[in-house]
Amino acid sequence: MKILLTGANGFVGARIRAAAPVICAPSLRGAEKEDIDRLIDTVQPDAILHTAAISDIGACAKDPEGSYHANVLVPEYLAKAANGAKLVLFSSDQVYTGLNENGPFAEEQPLCPANVYGRHKWEAEQRVLSALPDAVMLRATWMYDLPGYGLPIRGNFVLNLLTAAMRQQTVRFSCHDYRGITYVREAVEKLTQVMELPGGIYNFGSENDCDMYETVLRACEQLNIRPDIEKQDWKRSLRMDGSKLRAAAGSGFSDLQTGLMQCLRDYGLQM
């Protein structure tokens, strides 16, 4: 299968590139429709994995026009140009911002995203599926990994905790904040199954019933670290219900504790 990968130098894309033979697309951040039409016509892929995005929430708020082009128009252009290729795109759990309930939220949940990035991801889902109903949109959770294997790294849940413990810094997490957190390598492994999914929107990542303060306490115990943890009480929920993915793919994700244990084993930090 000939797979075209966008965002090949990003956090997720680089790990896909390292795991499977793919054709790496050039940067599409400012691409116009004719650029994408030309790319698809040249490569003629069997599948397209679109991981490229402007995912920094603050950057999207500062430059909404740039965010709209990269996060809404480029995915729509890909959907219109796909020409029979299976299109898989990464959306985000940020579409669930602004909801007052604690979840977990299913894909059919009415939405009112509270930030620019979430609103743009939500609009992209609608535009893509209108143009290409067979496309798969993955509402991904916050993902983590550790430095190594020559792959790009960025601030993430586990790395932030380890850094805080090493530097004796304070970390702040709320007892009314809920979200899933996923080992990125498990997400990459799931993409083989994702390619076979019927078109639609899928919550994609580890489920987590604990609030973030309790999640941090459990993770620190697994990591055997003791950063200074300050308890906050602000409210948010990005909790996702993974039952649709489990039913369609035949299996879901590991829980946070199991995923973290696998991460530590992969890096030789736990037997």
Side-chain angles (χ1 to χ4, degrees), residues 186-254:
E186 183 175 6
V188 169
E189 290 172 1
K190 289 286 182 191
L191 292 176
T192 301
Q193 294 171 293
V194 166
M195 292 286 192
E196 306 299 323
L197 292 176
I201 298 168
Y202 296 85
N203 290 333
F204 190 70
S206 296
E207 296 169 89
N208 183 15
D209 292 334
C210 295
D211 63 70
M212 285 302 296
Y213 180 75
E214 179 65 27
T215 297
V216 168
L217 293 179
R218 294 185 180 190
C220 288
E221 184 177 355
Q222 277 186 273
L223 294 165
N224 194 27
I225 57 175
R226 303 287 186 272
D228 179 34
I229 305 169
E230 186 176 295
K231 190 175 186 178
Q232 305 282 297
D233 63 0
W234 52 270
K235 184 177 181 180
R236 178 185 65 172
S237 181
L238 307 179
R239 285 176 66 203
M240 300 194 298
D241 180 347
S243 58
K244 181 179 178 181
L245 179 67
R246 286 194 299 274
S251 65
F253 280 81
S254 305

Side-chain angles (χ1 to χ4, degrees), residues 10-112:
F11 183 72
V12 176
R15 286 155 176 82
I16 296 172
R17 185 185 66 201
V22 294
I23 298 168
C24 298
S27 173
L28 299 181
R29 178 170 293 192
E32 299 296 344
K33 185 178 185 303
E34 55 269 25
D35 301 317
I36 291 175
D37 288 343
R38 191 179 309 113
L39 173 66
I40 301 302
D41 186 59
T42 300
V43 177
Q44 296 189 351
D46 301 302
I48 304 166
L49 282 176
H50 182 55
T51 70
I54 299 176
S55 58
D56 184 302
I57 293 171
C60 291
K62 290 178 181 177
D63 181 16
E65 290 184 5
S67 171
Y68 193 83
H69 191 97
N71 293 330
V72 179
L73 295 182
V74 168
E76 183 181 27
Y77 296 156
L78 284 167
K80 291 180 175 179
N83 193 29
K86 183 67 174 183
L87 179 60
V88 176
L89 304 94
F90 276 74
S91 184
S92 170
D93 62 359
Q94 290 293 323
V95 301
Y96 294 113
T97 59
L99 298 176
N100 293 321
E101 302 86 357
N102 281 339
F105 303 116
E107 290 83 353
E108 297 77 19
Q109 170 74 36
L111 301 175
C112 53

